[in-house]
Amino acid sequence: QVQLVESGGGLVQAGGSLRLSCAASGRTFSRYTMGWFRQAPGKEREFVAAISWIGGSTYYPDSVKGRFTISRDNAKNTVYLQMNSLKPEDTAVYYCAARATIIIVTTTDYNYWGQGTQVTVSS
């Protein structure tokens, strides 16, 4: 069982930055692929970033590539999402997710989810 708790969300002006954190419980955190997703009101949950269990592989959709960076610290059981050059369309609830696999997963097919943290970008 893995429990995930996100933090770091908030209100920021367009062009600003935020860093989200996701703290995970469990002794086998390093064995999980971690992902970040977001969901805006009235829209489906959208893939934002993923990092493989050994941290060597990352993947981003075009909508955030070059602006967002996912990283992980297995010693701290924490995954991060650094978000730069934020745009109003980045406004959403951001969720982290975990799946016991060695591959990158870009769909919502994850085993564990956090409760989410709100990110609001004003224009």
Side-chain angles (χ1 to χ4, degrees):
Q1 190 75 11
V2 175
Q3 292 185 326
L4 306 172
V5 179
E6 302 97 334
S7 62
L11 174 64
V12 64
Q13 289 188 333
S17 299
L18 282 175
R19 188 174 84 153
L20 306 183
S21 299
C22 174
S25 65
R27 294 177 292 178
T28 59
F29 172 76
S30 62
R31 301 285 181 93
Y32 286 81
T33 284
M34 301 299 295
W36 283 97
F37 291 77
R38 66 188 181 187
Q39 189 165 20
K43 295 188 177 181
E44 293 187 351
R45 194 164 293 190
E46 174 190 17
F47 170 72
V48 173
I51 187 166
S52 63
W53 69 285
I54 58 173
S57 296
T58 58
Y59 189 81
Y60 309 89
D62 288 343
S63 57
V64 306
K65 192 177 295 182
R67 301 189 298 122
F68 290 11
T69 303
I70 188 171
S71 61
R72 67 190 296 163
D73 185 337
N74 288 339
K76 296 182 178 180
N77 279 13
T78 301
V79 63
Y80 304 96
L81 184 68
Q82 178 66 44
M83 305 186 295
N84 299 328
S85 302
L86 283 162
K87 305 175 181 179
E89 52 263 43
D90 294 318
T91 295
V93 177
Y94 282 71
Y95 300 89
C96 72
R99 175 171 166 173
T101 180
I102 63 172
I103 63 173
I104 292 287
V105 179
T106 62
T107 67
T108 56
D109 191 16
Y110 279 73
N111 304 105
Y112 304 101
W113 292 84
Q115 293 299 308
T117 185
Q118 176 71 46
V119 171
T120 303
V121 184
S122 63
S123 57

